[in-house]
Amino acid sequence: MAGMLYLVPTPIGNLGDISLRCRETLEQADFIAAEDTRVSLKLLNHLGIKKSLVSYFEHNKATKGDLIVQRILAGETCALVSDAGSPAISDPGEELVKQCAEAGITVCAIPGPCAAITALSISGQSTGRFCFEGFLSTAKKSRKEHLDSLAAETRTMIFYEAPHKLLSTLEDMAAVFGADRPISLCRELTKLHEEVVRTTLGEAVDKYTDTPPKGEFVLVVAGATVTEKESATPADAAARVAELMAEGLSRKDAIKQTAKELNLPKNVVYDAALQE
Ligand code: SAM
């Protein structure tokens, strides 16, 4: 009889957040697949669990995935853990779940710590409707495309970001969503220096220009208000830019003024004016 794959979430900071069920599953599994075996070994030592570990991470997942599936099909039970939080959420695991599902293996996800949901709960932003956007690409073009695609998004948006890229991400977001858009920066959740900064994109840019960010961050950005979304179309923006230029304003000033008047991000007005 085939074994099973368990997705076992681990603490995102506070080791006390490991659940009884996660602990039992780690104890009872035949083997543990871990993103970084050194990181998981620390947790297992803390829990007093000795278990055989195999590494399963971004760059070996194609070959290791097949091996893990074969072992499960042969009857073993595998517990998958990532470095922190829920496996398969911006972490290795997505592929393994697909592979197991295709092979007819039962997959069981144990609920537990997830940085995105912890941040959303504490953010103070609307939680009724939200979308998870993961990490933005490091490539400038695809980052811009990703953010542009969210310009009219009315749901609360959740992003993961590394501290060294935080400032440029905030600048890019302010350019697309506007400097007044509310954001909650949720830092070092469940750790000693946990902090939630509820501010606007413009103020966040100023803050982290003065003091470079440290630690792990989840960004929870308010969605566009319905009035923002419905106030003006790119065609309205292009027409207003043309009107202002006919009145003698430079293209740059006309775009700036139109963005302000119509409450649209400057780059949206710029693109609309160019297309016209
Ligand atoms: N699968 C994990 C989860 O669901 O929690 C996320 C893994 S992802 C590779 C790592 C990112 O999660 C970090 O760059 C950061 O954005 C966020 N993160 C993880 N732990 C965090 C914490 N304690 N406080 C704030 N953000 C955290």
Side-chain angles (χ1 to χ4, degrees), residues 10-222:
T10 53
I12 56 171
N14 187 326
L15 289 180
D17 290 338
I18 190 90
S19 74
L20 270 179
R21 190 172 170 216
C22 288
R23 197 180 186 139
E24 280 166 15
T25 306
L26 291 171
E27 270 164 358
Q28 287 164 13
D30 291 303
F31 70 102
I32 297 173
E35 181 180 8
D36 184 334
T37 51
R38 289 161 306 178
V39 172
S40 300
L41 207 54
K42 278 190 202 149
L43 176 71
L44 294 177
N45 286 340
H46 171 79
L47 299 173
I49 298 174
K50 279 199 169 55
K51 192 66 61 174
S52 127
L53 284 168
V54 299
S55 75
Y56 178 80
F57 60 98
E58 193 52 36
H59 301 292
N60 75 359
K61 64 184 186 188
T63 49
K64 279 293 172 72
D66 289 342
L67 278 171
I68 293 170
V69 168
Q70 279 163 24
R71 285 183 71 171
I72 300 175
L73 285 174
E76 290 187 272
T77 291
C78 171
L80 176 70
V81 294
S82 61
D83 286 352
S86 296
I89 307 298
S90 291
D91 258 343
E94 191 180 338
E95 281 304 315
L96 189 60
V97 172
K98 273 187 206 147
Q99 270 182 280
C100 286
E102 276 163 19
I105 292 169
T106 306
V107 181
C108 173
I110 302 180
C114 175
I117 297 300
T118 309
L120 177 68
S121 333
I122 206 175
S123 67
Q125 308 285 352
S126 304
T127 60
R129 296 189 68 205
F130 63 89
C131 53
F132 174 62
E133 297 295 323
F135 287 98
L136 289 169
S137 162
T138 44
K140 204 168 170 48
K141 188 164 171 268
S142 32
R143 275 166 80 79
K144 190 173 178 312
E145 281 168 4
H146 187 160
L147 288 173
D148 282 346
S149 74
L150 295 170
E153 178 57 70
T154 52
R155 292 172 295 179
T156 299
M157 297 170 278
I158 306 173
F159 299 86
Y160 284 161
E161 194 48 289
H164 64 281
K165 286 191 272 154
L166 182 78
L167 185 57
S168 58
T169 292
L170 292 172
E171 284 167 348
D172 291 350
M173 284 180 174
V176 176
F177 303 141
D180 293 338
R181 181 73 68 89
I183 178 174
S184 303
L185 298 109
C186 307
R187 188 175 82 87
E188 295 286 272
L189 294 166
T190 78
K191 300 185 195 175
L192 186 61
H193 299 292
E194 173 170 310
E195 177 188 40
V196 181
V197 177
R198 300 180 183 91
T199 181
T200 61
L201 285 169
E203 281 171 9
V205 169
D206 293 344
K207 175 178 166 70
Y208 293 106
T209 304
D210 293 344
T211 320
K214 277 195 202 141
E216 296 198 278
F217 282 85
V218 180
L219 312 179
V220 184
V221 183

